[in-house]
Amino acid sequence: MKRNFPIFLVAAFAASCATTSATTGSSTGSKSGATLGSAAAPGVRGALIFEDTTKARGQDDEALKRGFEAALKADPSLAEGNFNLGVIAQRNGNDAEAERQYREALKKRPKLAPASNNLAVLLINKGKNAEAKKILDAAVAADPDNGSSRGVLAEMLRRGGQNDQAIKLAKDALARDAKQLQPYKTLMQAYYDQKKYALAKLVGLRADKLGYKDPEIPHMLGLIAMAEGEGDPKMQFEKALALDPSYLPSHYGLAKVALARQDFKTAQGSLQKILQGGASAPMLVDLGVTYRGLGDLDNAEKSYDEALRLDPNMAEAIYNKGIIASLRGEPDKALADFNGYMAKRGGAAGVPVNHPVRALIAQETQVIQKREETKRISAEVKKLEAQAAAAEKVQREADLKKQQEAAKSGGAASAAPKPAEEPSTSEASPKKVASERVRQATPVTAKVRTSKAKQPAPEATKAPTRSTPDADPETAKIARPKRKKL
């Protein structure tokens, strides 16, 4: 979660003090409590008004503002008056007025380090790092013992990704003033970014002993406990919120702890508190994960879409949209989102080999392949069924045509007169039939005929042309043997 720089405020000193030093207020970087500066030997009237204003208790910012304006009217050279008006403007969200007052204070007193620090912070938050560095370098050059400006410069380097240089400069700042808080916070965060959790924890415990009521220290200790998997991060985040109930990073930390424990109701409550103060893309992604855990896929997807609206390059939002699509049975959309996540992370080389997205890509690819194979088989079956139906239709039509033609042929044949049948030349005459019947008579006649066959048969024994039983007595005699008397 992105954090603004803290507001650096001068400590309260006696009116006769000729120098100022620096401390820090809340690290929320906006409407936090402030310790206002005291004048360094101003004019008598201006000094009296200034001290009365800084010592008064229970005054709201409007009353403080009127008091410092009166002190400046009495003594226009009072740089601390401009500085404190800048602090009041900044913690009430009027950064333009704060910047004007800080610049005015530095014109009157170039070595007023808190004014340099706060002005640099405003410029850094606007992205004007080069100008901020110029102001801080000038403050360090003007006062070699200025540890507070070194602390701000170290934090600026850390946020620019230069952790090694930031660590060196933060240690240098602490060597000049071991009780200032900002260098400790910079060291903690730099070691945390480098995953040197033991060193980060050691610095945090030292900072905690300084007695500052700053929620960022227990908050960082909570983050370290989460990273190490040791201790009780929930307790640290709750400690931070006890110091400042509006400290959003610790609300977010509680939500992360709840998500890790799959306590989605608690996570939802913490995240909704955060979103009331303004949403960020990472918060919205976590809110989406919470909704998904509660089974509310529609609100989960809306949260991811809103995260991508704020940050189109939010890879985690794309990845989680893919999970939603997969749960809904939309493999094409899921695969597109998973591949989009891989692309945002720099391709396969930018994603760890054990990242779940790789298995999810393989899973959705397999689902799509099975679906396409099923579609192909279904299309092939339909094609074969269509071909079979067409062939059956053709066959039915052919059969019907044959039946119709047969019916027509049958009708024509029955309507035409039947021609008279001519006697067949091959048909046997009655005489031949009778002769054939005699020839096929019982075989006992064969002996009789065989005994006579040795002698040539006279011409008269040849069968006459009329082959009736009466015409051939011998044949008749053979055909009808005599019965034996009983």
Side-chain angles (χ1 to χ4, degrees):
M1 182 177 178
K2 185 177 179 181
R3 295 176 292 120
N4 290 324
F5 276 93
I7 301 173
F8 287 80
L9 307 169
V10 294
F13 290 95
S16 60
C17 182
T19 62
T20 61
S21 63
T23 184
T24 61
S26 172
S27 61
T28 55
S30 58
K31 303 176 182 180
S32 59
T35 305
L36 304 174
S38 62
V44 177
R45 180 171 170 74
L48 290 174
I49 297 172
F50 186 92
E51 288 190 19
D52 287 343
T53 303
T54 55
K55 290 178 180 179
R57 297 183 180 276
Q59 295 190 72
D60 58 20
D61 282 349
E62 282 300 317
L64 291 171
K65 180 181 176 183
R66 289 193 297 270
F68 294 130
E69 286 174 344
L72 279 171
K73 186 176 181 180
D75 183 1
S77 66
L78 192 61
E80 288 81 359
N82 294 106
F83 171 76
N84 286 343
L85 287 174
V87 169
I88 293 169
Q90 188 172 354
R91 72 186 182 190
N92 283 279
N94 190 349
D95 288 353
E97 175 62 16
E99 181 178 342
R100 189 186 72 80
Q101 292 289 354
Y102 294 147
R103 290 186 185 279
E104 187 65 26
L106 289 172
K107 284 181 184 178
K108 296 175 182 179
R109 190 175 169 197
K111 290 186 178 182
L112 187 59
S116 297
N117 298 340
N118 281 14
L119 178 57
V121 167
L122 287 175
L123 294 173
I124 291 168
N125 289 338
K126 290 180 179 180
K128 299 179 179 180
N129 288 6
E131 186 179 358
K133 187 174 185 304
K134 184 178 179 181
I135 289 171
L136 292 170
D137 286 341
V140 170
D143 183 5
D145 292 328
N146 179 356
S148 63
S149 294
R150 283 179 169 81
V152 179
L153 190 56
E155 177 64 9
M156 188 182 75
L157 291 173
R158 186 196 68 77
R159 295 191 183 207
Q162 303 178 60
N163 281 318
D164 290 336
Q165 295 91 325
I167 290 170
K168 183 176 181 301
L169 197 56
K171 289 180 177 179
D172 192 22
L174 288 173
R176 286 165 170 77
D177 183 358
K179 292 185 178 181
Q180 57 176 323
L181 184 59
Q182 182 57 49
Y184 282 108
K185 294 196 289 187
T186 297
L187 282 172
M188 282 185 74
Q189 187 68 60
Y191 285 136
Y192 178 83
D193 292 343
Q194 293 179 338
K195 302 187 186 306
K196 297 177 180 179
Y197 302 126
L199 286 173
K201 184 177 180 179
L202 179 62
V203 172
L205 293 174
R206 267 188 203 171
D208 197 38
K209 290 180 180 179
L210 294 176
Y212 284 106
K213 304 299 181 182
D214 190 309
E216 191 166 353
I217 301 302
H219 174 75
M220 282 300 303
L221 289 172
L223 292 180
I224 293 166
M226 285 184 69
E228 289 184 323
E230 299 176 357
D232 187 356
K234 183 173 180 287
M235 180 190 71
Q236 295 292 349
F237 294 138
E238 288 174 344
K239 183 177 177 181
L241 290 172
L243 294 172
D244 182 0
S246 66
Y247 188 63
L248 296 182
S250 286
H251 280 294
Y252 190 40
L254 286 176
K256 298 288 279 186
V257 171
L259 280 174
R261 296 173 179 176
Q262 296 190 347
D263 182 1
F264 298 114
K265 281 289 185 184
T266 300
Q268 184 183 26
S270 296
L271 288 168
Q272 286 177 342
K273 286 180 183 177
I274 298 168
L275 294 174
Q276 290 174 1
S280 70
M283 290 179 198
L284 287 165
V285 169
D286 284 332
L287 183 61
V289 173
T290 299
Y291 279 127
R292 190 185 80 207
L294 294 171
D296 189 349
L297 300 185
D298 290 340
N299 275 322
E301 187 173 31
K302 287 178 183 177
S303 296
Y304 301 143
D305 288 337
E306 182 64 16
L308 287 171
R309 187 187 67 78
L310 295 176
D311 183 2
N313 294 317
M314 190 71 185
E316 287 73 15
I318 299 172
Y319 169 71
N320 281 284
K321 278 175 67 70
I323 293 177
I324 294 294
S326 179
L327 291 172
R328 286 175 172 166
E330 301 171 348
D332 297 281
K333 189 171 181 292
L335 185 60
D337 286 333
F338 292 144
N339 285 328
Y341 169 78
M342 294 283 284
K344 291 292 184 184
R345 292 288 300 271
V351 179
V353 294
N354 60 345
H355 194 286
V357 73
R358 296 180 181 274
L360 289 170
I361 287 175
Q363 171 186 299
E364 299 306 318
T365 300
Q366 188 176 20
V367 170
I368 292 171
Q369 288 174 345
K370 286 184 177 179
R371 183 194 65 194
E372 295 303 315
E373 180 65 13
T374 301
K375 286 171 63 177
R376 186 190 67 78
I377 293 172
S378 178
E380 187 67 24
V381 169
K382 288 181 180 179
K383 181 180 177 182
L384 292 173
E385 288 176 347
Q387 290 174 351
E392 185 179 354
K393 182 180 179 183
V394 170
Q395 184 63 43
R396 285 199 308 269
E397 291 174 349
D399 291 344
L400 181 61
K401 188 174 180 181
K402 284 181 180 181
Q403 291 173 6
Q404 291 173 346
E405 289 177 353
K408 287 180 181 179
S409 300
S414 60
K418 189 174 182 179
E421 293 183 1
E422 296 181 2
S424 174
T425 55
S426 63
E427 187 174 352
S429 64
K431 292 181 179 180
K432 287 184 177 180
V433 171
S435 179
E436 182 65 21
R437 285 176 178 172
V438 172
R439 190 184 66 78
Q440 292 178 353
T442 175
V444 294
T445 61
K447 293 183 178 180
V448 178
R449 296 182 68 89
T450 302
S451 61
K452 295 183 177 181
K454 293 179 181 179
Q455 299 177 0
E459 195 70 25
T461 61
K462 290 185 179 178
T465 56
R466 290 180 62 194
S467 186
T468 62
D470 296 335
D472 189 353
E474 182 67 23
T475 305
K477 197 180 286 186
I478 295 172
R480 289 187 289 272
K482 291 182 180 181
R483 295 181 179 181
K484 292 182 181 181
K485 291 182 180 181
L486 297 174

